[in-house]
Amino acid sequence: MNKQVLVISLFCLLALVAVSAFVFLSSDKAGTSEDFSNTPQQAATSSLVQPKTDVLVDTDRSKGKTRTFSESWRWRDSPDSAEGDAISPQASSLPFTEQSVHDALQQVKIDENGDVIMDHEALVSLDEALERIYNRLDAESMLQLEDLIKGALPGKTGIQTAELVRNYQQFLQAKEQFYQVNSSEPQATQTVKSIESDQLLYAELQALREIHLGADAVASLFYESDVNAEYMFESIKLGLQSGLSDEEISARRIEIENRRREQLGEPAPEEVDI
């Protein structure tokens, strides 16, 4: 995978606008990664058949009563914290603290049944929590991170979150290897064919996500990112096509933009009377 695709992944995570995406696509190297059903799932448990993280898949965030992790967090020094929730005394050697984990995950939402809501905000929070430390987490420190999360978030919320964090850490490691295998020098010029090749590699990255996170979790976490990625790919290819009139390009650009807005549930821009 060439360096252009790595930057595409960065764009998708941050959900940048198409103009910024084009700049990122041609830059040297990317630094970071990357809601359909409204039905609550059972508490998260590992399975080879079911998605690895059984969580709420949510597309209509206006429905139902939600709260954030920050509102549910039980600090270790709180009188309400369960005995044994605290991590081991050698916490100073860990690549995280309770404060850093809380601050990274605090905006993740929980539905009225205690299920974690999987959306773009949860994806950004996972990257904030793990992007800088995922390669510094060994088996022991990963267990301590999971114990911290389970102690801080009561019941199935903590169980789901701990498993999600573990799965996402494994995905980040696998994604790094994917980049190493597919890395190459950037092309001097872009063509429609080269962008289509990038799209195929992006599809491989999407499949890698599902292996580690499960199809349902991926569909929710990366929905907004994937919509923006498709918009970016199509916009760039449109700009590289020859033989189209200005009117045809304008009409096609409006079509691509309207599809993106419809998929993300964004209102159409208001027409201004002149």
Side-chain angles (χ1 to χ4, degrees), residues 8 57 59 67 76 82 104 135 158 162 209 211 217 220 241 245 247 266 274:
I8 288 169
V57 181
T59 185
R67 61 188 186 279
R76 283 182 290 152
N135 272 336
R209 297 172 188 162
I211 291 173
S220 289
Q241 288 177 352
S245 67
E247 291 78 11
E266 295 180 355
I274 301 176

Side-chain angles (χ1 to χ4, degrees), residues 9-30:
S9 182
L10 172 62
F11 164 82
C12 296
L13 168 65
L14 299 178
L16 297 175
V17 296
V19 174
S20 298
F22 190 87
V23 175
F24 277 126
L25 188 68
S26 59
S27 64
D28 187 52
K29 186 176 181 181

Side-chain angles (χ1 to χ4, degrees), residues 99-112:
Q99 186 71 54
S100 70
V101 176
H102 166 271
D103 291 351
L105 301 177
Q106 61 180 314
Q107 294 303 320
V108 179
K109 297 183 288 294
I110 311 166
D111 81 328
E112 57 191 357

